[in-house]
Amino acid sequence: MTAPPREPPGTEQAGARAGRARWVRVARFTGVPVRVSVDGIAHEAHAGESVLSAVLAVLGHARLNEFDGGKRAGFCVMGACQDCWVWVDGGRRVRGCGTEVAEGMAISTSAPRLEAADG
Amino acid sequence: MSAGRTDVAIIGGGLIGCATAYYLARRGRRVVLLERGFVGGVSSGVNFGNLRLQGRHLEQMPLALRAQALWEGLEAELGESVEFWRQGHLFVALNEQHAAQIEAFHHECRPYGLETELLDRHRIAERWPWLRGPVVSASWSARDATVNSRLVSPAYARAARALGADIREGVEMTAIAREGAGFRLACADGSEVLCDVLLNSAGAWGGAIAEQFGEPTPVFAAGPVQLITEATGRFLENVIHAVDGSIIFRQTQRGNILIAGHPRVPVDFANRRSRVPPRKLATNLARMLELAPHLSHLTLLRSWTGIEGYFPDMIPVIGPSRTTPGLFHAFGFCGHGLQIGPAVGMCLAELILDGRTPTPIECFGIERFAKPVTADRAHLAAEFEGTLLDKIGAS
Amino acid sequence: MARAVIVGAGPAGITAAATLAARGVDVVLIEEGRRGGGQGYRAAPPGLDLPMRRLLGGDLAAWRRIQARFVALTMPMKGLHERFPGFAGQVEFRPGTLAWNIADSVVHTECAGTLDEIAYDALVLATGATDRIMPVPGWTLPGVYTLGGAQTALKDQGCLIGRQVVFCGASPLLYLAALQYARMAGAAGARVVGVLDTTPFAEKRRALPDLLAAPGLLLKGLGLLAALKVRGVPVRHGVRLSAFTGTDQGEGAGVDGVLYQDAAGRTQRIECDAVAFGFGLRPESQLAELAGAALRYDPTFRQWFPAQDADGRCAPKVYVAGDNCRIGGARAAEAAGLIAAHAALADLGLANGGTDTQLVAARRTLAAMERFQRGLARAFAWPHHWAAGMADETIVCRCENVTVGAVRGAVLDARGGERELNRVKAAVRCGMGRCQGRFCGNAAAEIVAAALGDAQAEPGRLRAQPPVKPLPVTAAPKEPVT
Ligand SMILES: Cc1cc2nc3c(=O)[nH]c(=O)nc-3n(C[C@H](O)[C@H](O)[C@H](O)COP(=O)(O)OP(=O)(O)OC[C@H]3O[C@@H](n4cnc5c(N)ncnc54)[C@H](O)[C@@H]3O)c2cc1C
Ligand SMILES: Cc1cc2nc3c(=O)[nH]c(=O)nc-3n(C[C@H](O)[C@H](O)[C@H](O)COP(=O)(O)OP(=O)(O)OC[C@H]3O[C@@H](n4cnc5c(N)ncnc54)[C@H](O)[C@@H]3O)c2cc1C
Ligand code: FES
C-alpha cells in the first residue's frame, strides 16, 4: 500500500507521445489491462478506469463545446456538469467520468460525421 | 387604495391579453392589464412555438392568415426579436387516412390563399433523406413558421407599455362588479380598477369569469407534453408534424430538438401545477426515434407541459359577451392560440373600438354554448388521455 | 412488508438503509455511481492501488466505518444479521442507476438505458451536494475543475488534475483537497503551487464561536492548514480571483495561470497547468422538489433547501437527509440518515417505543454540526458581492455559454426587464443546458439580485424539471407500457 506509485507504462507512453496528457497518474491500477484508443491513439487502460481518465491520460481535452468549439476537459468529475460526454465506438455517446473503459473501446472527442447527411 | 379609471381592463397577460393591450394602446386607448403572475408565464410562454397554418379548421383560415401576416412583420413592429423563423412545416401522413386528410386540405385551403404542396414518398426521401418510419405521404407548407414563445408575450407587453399601457404583473383580479355601464375590479393586493370595457383573456381560467356573467362553457384544462434534447448539429430546417399530432418535432436554431406529441395530459388545475406523466417521456421519444432514428445518440434535457384551456369542439371562444355589454371574451385556445394570437388581439381591439372586425370570427362566439354540448369521445380520443375524457364526461 | 426507497449511497443513505433494513423494512438503495460511500467516502474501483492512509489521514477511520456499513448492507443476509441482531429486511442495491423523477409515490429510474419504476411506502432522499460555483473569467478552460472534481479524480481514479495545481475559492473542501493533493503529488513530480483562500483571515476568527461547536473538526481544519504550511505550500487569504488565464483553442489549449489580487490589493499571478476551485457546496435538492417538498431560503448559506421538520420529513412519505437538505458534512449526514430512518419507521407504524440512545446522540451531533457549519459558512464565505462587479464577458452558464452581461441585460432592459431568475433563464437560456443549472444557478441568482440593485435581497432559485439529469433519448421501459 505504501510503495511509491509508478506510472503504468501504457499511460505514460501514450501521454508522452502525444505530449499533452492532462491528468497525472499517482496510483496504479493493478487489474487487467484494457486496450482502448483515444482519437485513434492506442492507449493501455485498466479495468476500473473511467473513460475520462483514459482520454485525459492521452489528450488535454475531452470534448469541444458545441457553440464556440472551445476545448473542454470535464469539470466536476462526478456526473453533474455533463461537460465530459464523448463518443465511443463510432456512434454511442457516454458520460466520460461515469463510464468505465471496455476492451477495444474506440473513444472519440468529436462527433463522427453527422449521420443525417448520409442517411 | 383608490380605484384607477381606465378605458379597457384586461384580465390575463398571456399572448391574447398582451397583444390586445398593444393594439388598443397603439390606437390611443388607456389600458390596464392585470396578470397574477408574469406576462406569458402560463400557456403563452411554454408552448412549442408552432405557427402552423396547415390542418387548421377551415373557418379559422382567415384569422390564421391575418395572424401570419402580422407575425411576418412583428419583429419590426415590436422592435425586438422573437426568433421568428419562416421555416416551413411538413405534415406527415402515417397512414392512408392521414394521406386522404392532407389531400383534402390541399384543395380546401387554396381558396383562402394558402398553398400546400403534396409530396409522395420519393419526393420526401429526396428532401428528408434521414426520415424513416411508416410515412405514406406528406404535405409541405412553406409559409408556416416558428417563434420562441418565451419571448413573445414579454415583447408585446414591453411595446404596449412603451405606448402607455399599464401592464401590472403580480396582480390578481379577485372580483368583478358591474358599476354603471362599466365594471369595478377588485384585486388581491387591495387595488381596484374601474373600466368601461372588460376583456376576459384569462386562459384556462376564463370559464369562471364567463360563468359569473351567466355564460357557462364546457372549458376544461389539459397540458400538451413538451420535451427538449441537448443541441446537435443542424439537420432539420422545418417542423415535422404527424397528421394526428402523435409526434411533432423541430430543431431550434441552437440545435436542440423540441418534441411534442398528443394525447394531452391532465393537469392539476386547482393548484395550478402541471407536470408530464413520467411514462410519456419514453412514449414520445420512441415516436420521434421511429421517424428520426439517427438522433439516437442524444440526451433529453427537460420535460414540461402547461395549463391550456380546451373546448370539446376544439376552437376557442372569441367575441362579445351576449349577456353583458362592454364585456368581451377570448379564452380556451385549444392548443393553437399562439399562431392566431396576434390577429385575435387585433380583432378584439377592432371589436372594442369599432364594434366590428373585418375578419370573420362569428363561429367563435360564446353563444354556441347556450345549449349544453357533450364531448365526442371518438373525435377526441387522439387528442386527450382517456382519464381526462372520463373527467369531462366525453361519450 | 413496507418498502423504503433510498436515493444516494453516501453516509446519509447508507445509514438510513441500514437502520430501516435492521427493522424489517425492505430497502431499495439507488445510487448513480457504481459503488457506495458518497462524495467524501467513496470507494475506489477494485484494483486501484491507492494508499488510503496517506490520502485520507485522520479521515481514514470514518471512511472505514462508512464503507464497512455499506459492505455489510449489500451482503444483506450475512452481514446484516451479524451487525443488527433481530430480523433484517432485504436490501437491494442498484448501482449505476439514476433516479430521474418522482411522481405519485413512485421513483422513476434509469439504468443503462432501461427505465424502471419503484413504488414506495417511504422515500429517503440522500442525494448529497456538489460544489457551488462563482464564475471566474476563464473557468471553462481545460484544466479547471471543481474542488470536488479534483478530489474525485484522485480518490476515484488515482489521478491528479495536473502537475502544478492551484487550489482556490472558499470552501471546507479547499484545504482538504489541497492537502490530499500535496500528500500524493511528490512521487509524480507534481506540486500544489498555491492555495488561494478568498475569505479574509479576520472572518475566520469571527467564525470561531460557532466553529467551537465541533472542536475536533476545528482542530482538524487547523491541522490541515498547518500541514500545508509544513509542506511549503503557499497559502494566501483574502484574495480576489481575477482570472484563470490560458486558451481553449489549439494544441496547447488549457489553463496556464491564476491572476488574483492579494489582500493588499496587489495583482499577482501564479503559473499552473490546473486549477481546482469552489465556494462551498450546493444541495442536490431537485428530487425533493419533484417529490413535493417546499423550498426554504437560508440566509446564512444564501441558498434554498428543502423545508423539513426536525426529523427530515419534507412531504408525505418523503424524508431528506444529508448534504442535500442541510450542508453539514459526513458526520451530520450519518446522523441525519439515522434520524430520517427513525421518522420513517415511526410513520410506518414500526417505532419500537422508548428512546433510542443512538437517536438521542444523533440529534445532538446534528445540532452541533449545524452550528459548526454556520461557522464554516462564515469562515469560507460565498463571495456574493463579486456578482455586482463581474465583467460582462465572463461566462456564467458553461453549457450554453451565456455571459454575465446577457443575464444582467435581461434584468436591466430599459423597456422593462425581468425580475425573476426563471424568467431570466427563459429569456437568455442561462441554466437551460445539460447540467440543468447546477453550476450557474447560484451565480446567476446573485447576478440578478445585484442587477436589481439590492445585493442583500434573497437570490432566486431555478425550479427543478424532470429529468433531473439528462436521459438518453433511447431510454425505454423494461416492458413496453401499454
Ligand atoms: C405546452 C403547450 C404547447 C403549445 N403549443 C402551441 C403551438 O405550437 N402553437 C400554437 O399556436 N399554440 C400552442 N399552444 C397553445 C397556446 O400557447 C395558447 O393557446 C395561448 O398561449 C393562449 O394564450 P392565452 O393568453 O389565452 O392564455 P395564457 O397564456 O394561459 O394566459 C392567461 C393568463 O391569465 C392569467 N390569469 C388567469 N386568471 C387571472 C386572474 N384572476 N387575475 C390575473 N391574471 C389571471 C394567467 O396567469 C395567465 O397568464 C400550446 C400550449 C401549451 C400549454
Ligand atoms: C465533492 C465532495 C467531496 C468531499 N470530500 C470530503 C472528504 O474528503 N472528507 C470529508 O470528510 N468530507 C468530504 N466531503 C463532505 C462529506 O463527504 C459530505 O458532507 C457527505 O458525503 C455527505 O453525505 P451525504 O450522504 O449527504 O451525500 P453524498 O455523500 O454526497 O452522497 C450522495 C449520493 O447520492 C447519489 N445521487 C445523487 N443524486 C442521485 C440520483 N438522482 N440518482 C441516484 N443517485 C444519486 C450520488 O451519486 C452520491 O453517491 C465532501 C463532499 C463533497 C460534495
Ligand atoms: S466531468 Fe462533470 S459530468 Fe463528467
Side-chain angles (χ1 to χ4, degrees):
Chain A
M1 276 275 262
T2 47
R6 284 182 310 262
E7 302 270 344
T11 315
E12 188 59 344
Q13 271 170 22
R17 181 154 24 98
R20 44 197 170 159
R22 177 160 299 287
W23 284 12
V24 179
R25 181 157 291 293
V26 292
R28 42 192 189 113
F29 275 105
T30 54
V32 267
V34 173
R35 278 162 306 181
V36 302
S37 68
V38 178
D39 284 353
I41 303 168
H43 170 62
E44 187 179 278
H46 289 83
E49 195 167 335
S50 74
V51 168
L52 182 64
S53 80
V55 170
L56 297 178
V58 178
L59 301 177
H61 72 284
R63 65 183 291 268
L64 305 177
N65 175 274
E66 56 272 63
F67 303 115
D68 66 5
K71 290 183 172 174
R72 298 282 174 96
F75 180 59
C76 73
V77 202
M78 55 178 75
C81 74
Q82 319 299 332
D83 216 350
C84 65
W85 284 76
V86 296
W87 299 80
V88 294
D89 303 334
R92 224 156 40 88
R93 283 174 69 235
V94 299
R95 192 164 67 197
C97 67
T99 309
E100 285 182 8
V101 291
E103 179 62 33
M105 196 181 250
I107 307 167
S108 169
T109 60
S110 52
R113 254 172 41 78
L114 193 68
E115 317 72 355
D118 48 61
Chain B
M1 242 183 258
S2 69
R5 250 219 108 76
T6 187
D7 298 334
V8 185
I10 298 176
I11 305 168
L15 172 57
I16 303 303
C18 292
T20 311
Y22 172 75
Y23 293 115
L24 285 169
R26 208 176 64 171
R27 289 181 61 182
R29 272 335 116 105
R30 287 180 306 161
V31 181
V32 173
L33 181 150
L34 305 176
E35 167 53 53
R36 69 178 156 213
F38 292 103
V39 294
V42 186
S43 255
S44 299
V46 301
N47 66 55
F48 186 87
N50 207 358
L51 306 182
R52 170 177 60 90
L53 296 168
Q54 297 203 77
R56 293 234 153 217
H57 282 256
L58 286 174
E59 53 207 348
Q60 235 180 58
M61 283 315 292
L63 186 64
L65 286 166
R66 187 174 187 195
Q68 211 72 352
L70 287 169
W71 280 115
E72 286 158 359
L74 197 66
E75 294 184 329
E77 169 90 30
L78 302 183
E80 60 183 292
S81 166
V82 293
E83 293 179 20
F84 175 82
W85 186 10
R86 186 168 163 164
Q87 58 175 172
H89 179 270
L90 188 71
F91 227 3
V92 181
L94 299 180
N95 56 41
E96 293 302 335
Q97 190 203 335
H98 292 173
Q101 265 169 270
I102 54 175
E103 189 164 351
F105 187 80
H106 172 75
H107 301 293
E108 290 160 357
C109 71
R110 187 165 278 163
Y112 294 92
L114 178 68
E115 291 293 334
T116 63
E117 185 187 349
L118 291 175
L119 305 173
D120 62 15
R121 259 190 252 170
H122 185 69
R123 296 286 309 285
I124 298 169
E126 268 169 24
R127 284 174 67 180
W128 294 273
W130 47 267
L131 192 63
R132 297 284 181 278
V135 178
V136 177
S137 66
S139 156
W140 169 251
S141 173
R143 202 176 167 195
D144 295 26
T146 58
V147 287
N148 180 342
S149 67
R150 299 191 301 268
L151 305 180
V152 175
S153 304
Y156 260 121
R158 276 193 284 268
R161 228 178 232 141
L163 293 174
D166 182 357
I167 310 283
R168 301 186 190 167
E169 291 177 299
V171 180
E172 177 168 28
M173 183 285 296
T174 48
I176 310 172
R178 198 77 168 127
E179 181 152 306
F183 304 85
R184 177 185 286 269
L185 311 182
C187 302
D189 64 357
S191 64
E192 290 196 327
V193 179
L194 288 170
C195 62
D196 301 329
V197 171
L198 179 62
L199 171 62
N200 166 19
S201 56
W205 295 270
I209 295 173
E211 192 154 351
Q212 188 193 329
F213 290 95
E215 295 177 292
T217 63
V219 68
F220 63 96
V225 172
Q226 316 285 300
L227 312 176
I228 193 157
T229 72
E230 63 192 326
T232 185
R234 285 282 292 281
F235 74 100
L236 175 56
E237 297 292 322
N238 60 275
V239 177
I240 304 278
H241 192 146
V243 169
D244 60 3
S246 60
I247 184 69
I248 310 165
F249 62 100
R250 68 183 177 96
Q251 187 169 31
T252 67
Q253 298 196 9
R254 281 178 79 80
N256 311 72
I257 313 296
L258 178 54
I259 305 157
H262 305 155
R264 296 151 177 107
V265 299
V267 293
D268 182 354
F269 187 63
N271 296 309
R272 289 186 229 151
R273 280 190 7 163
S274 60
R275 221 167 249 164
V276 178
R279 287 180 180 176
K280 286 291 274 192
L281 269 64
T283 308
N284 286 8
L285 289 171
R287 286 185 188 152
M288 189 261 305
L289 288 175
E290 190 181 14
L291 296 184
H294 71 288
L295 298 178
S296 63
H297 61 275
L298 291 181
T299 59
L300 177 76
L301 296 188
R302 284 185 300 283
S303 65
W304 72 93
T305 175
I307 302 182
E308 169 77 344
Y310 292 86
F311 293 105
D313 56 6
M314 294 303 275
I315 54 171
V317 159
I318 308 170
S321 158
R322 295 299 159 182
T323 61
T324 313
L327 173 65
F328 294 81
H329 300 295
F331 66 95
F333 278 84
C334 301
H336 53 249
L338 174 71
Q339 193 277 328
I340 54 177
V344 173
M346 183 73 101
C347 293
L348 285 167
E350 289 162 350
L351 275 181
I352 289 168
L353 300 182
D354 313 329
R356 64 193 161 74
T357 165
T359 310
I361 55 167
E362 296 71 27
C363 60
F364 305 118
I366 195 164
E367 59 278 8
R368 73 185 194 271
F369 297 120
K371 284 184 293 246
V373 290
T374 45
D376 176 0
R377 196 164 189 116
H379 182 64
L380 296 177
E383 306 274 4
F384 300 99
E385 290 283 348
T387 50
L388 197 57
L389 292 176
D390 296 343
K391 226 171 76 190
I392 64 166
S395 56
Chain C
M1 197 185 284
R3 175 154 61 182
V5 174
I6 297 176
V7 183
I14 290 171
T15 307
T19 310
L20 286 161
R23 293 279 281 282
V25 176
D26 272 348
V27 173
V28 182
L29 177 56
I30 296 168
E31 168 56 49
E32 197 191 356
R34 287 174 301 268
R35 291 169 291 278
Q39 300 301 8
Y41 296 125
R42 60 178 64 247
L48 181 62
D49 193 7
L50 263 182
M52 292 312 284
R53 182 180 300 277
R54 178 143 59 99
L55 180 58
L56 294 182
D59 280 342
L60 187 66
W63 178 78
R64 285 203 173 127
R65 184 176 68 243
I66 302 281
Q67 282 298 330
R69 191 175 297 156
F70 175 72
V71 169
L73 253 190
T74 44
M75 291 194 260
M77 287 310 128
K78 191 164 135 272
L80 267 187
H81 282 295
E82 278 163 20
R83 293 183 67 86
F84 301 95
F87 188 84
Q90 304 274 352
V91 177
E92 186 193 340
F93 178 51
R94 298 198 187 175
T97 303
L98 171 73
W100 62 269
N101 197 1
I102 293 164
D104 302 322
S105 296
V106 173
V107 179
H108 294 263
T109 65
E110 179 261 338
C111 176
T114 300
L115 301 175
D116 201 0
E117 302 175 4
I118 315 171
Y120 57 80
D121 301 303
L123 170 67
V124 181
L125 297 171
T127 44
T130 63
D131 294 78
R132 172 159 61 161
I133 293 301
M134 182 61 91
V136 172
W139 71 292
T140 57
L141 290 172
V144 179
Y145 293 91
T146 63
L147 290 166
Q151 272 193 310
T152 310
L154 179 54
K155 293 199 281 189
D156 190 67
Q157 290 293 312
C159 291
L160 307 180
I161 57 170
R163 284 184 194 279
Q164 295 171 295
V165 189
V166 174
F167 287 82
C168 50
S171 172
L173 298 182
L174 180 65
Y175 297 110
L176 186 65
L179 184 62
Q180 287 170 347
Y181 264 57
R183 284 180 183 142
M184 296 294 295
R191 227 152 42 89
V192 176
V193 291
V195 176
L196 305 176
D197 186 332
T198 56
T199 312
F201 199 74
E203 280 302 308
K204 301 216 175 6
R205 242 178 270 128
R206 281 196 206 108
L208 265 182
D210 279 337
L211 294 176
L212 279 166
L217 289 178
L218 174 59
L219 276 178
K220 187 184 135 190
L222 294 172
L224 296 176
L225 202 54
L228 281 168
K229 295 222 161 119
V230 166
R231 282 164 191 274
V233 174
V235 178
R236 303 279 175 266
H237 294 277
V239 313
R240 178 156 182 157
L241 299 172
S242 312
F244 304 144
T245 58
T247 172
D248 63 3
Q249 304 291 325
E251 284 298 296
V255 65
D256 61 18
V258 175
L259 213 56
Y260 68 97
Q261 283 189 345
D262 65 17
R266 289 173 305 230
T267 298
Q268 309 276 5
R269 181 167 190 275
I270 313 185
E271 265 181 41
C272 63
D273 64 2
V275 172
F277 83 122
F279 299 88
L281 300 177
R282 55 154 285 283
E284 276 288 301
S285 55
Q286 302 91 336
L287 284 178
E289 188 180 347
L290 294 178
L295 278 103
R296 191 172 53 197
Y297 179 69
D298 183 324
T300 309
F301 291 95
R302 280 187 75 89
Q303 300 203 66
W304 297 78
F305 294 96
Q308 49 170 326
D309 74 359
D311 294 338
R313 292 180 185 87
C314 69
K317 300 198 280 184
V318 186
Y319 310 82
V320 276
D323 274 356
N324 67 344
C325 61
R326 181 195 277 123
I327 299 301
R331 263 171 63 190
E334 275 187 82
L338 186 87
I339 294 168
H342 277 276
L345 287 169
D347 298 346
L348 290 167
L350 298 171
N352 61 353
T355 7
D356 190 314
T357 51
Q358 262 189 316
L359 193 56
V360 173
R363 285 189 208 287
R364 206 178 306 123
T365 305
L366 203 56
M369 293 313 300
E370 196 159 348
R371 226 182 116 200
F372 179 73
Q373 291 295 334
R374 289 191 184 277
L376 279 185
R378 176 152 214 188
F380 297 106
W382 165 242
H384 65 88
H385 54 283
W386 288 10
M390 218 178 272
D392 274 347
E393 319 74 71
T394 308
I395 284 180
V396 56
C397 169
R398 69 183 286 126
C399 302
E400 296 285 328
N401 282 354
V402 180
T403 62
V404 171
V407 171
R408 219 174 252 156
V411 177
L412 297 178
D413 189 319
R415 302 205 305 157
E418 299 295 351
R419 286 167 292 142
E420 196 272 331
L421 184 59
N422 292 281
R423 298 282 289 181
V424 171
K425 168 181 167 183
V428 302
R429 315 190 58 84
C430 182
M432 281 202 172
R434 292 191 182 92
C435 85
Q436 281 128 321
R438 283 176 173 80
F439 292 103
C440 65
N442 293 97
E446 299 292 2
I447 294 163
V448 170
L452 286 171
D454 186 2
Q456 290 315 309
E458 57 186 57
R461 164 184 91 73
L462 293 172
R463 280 189 295 270
Q465 273 175 301
V468 300
K469 286 190 185 177
L471 284 183
V473 295
T474 47
K478 249 192 311 214
E479 281 135 34
V481 181
T482 44

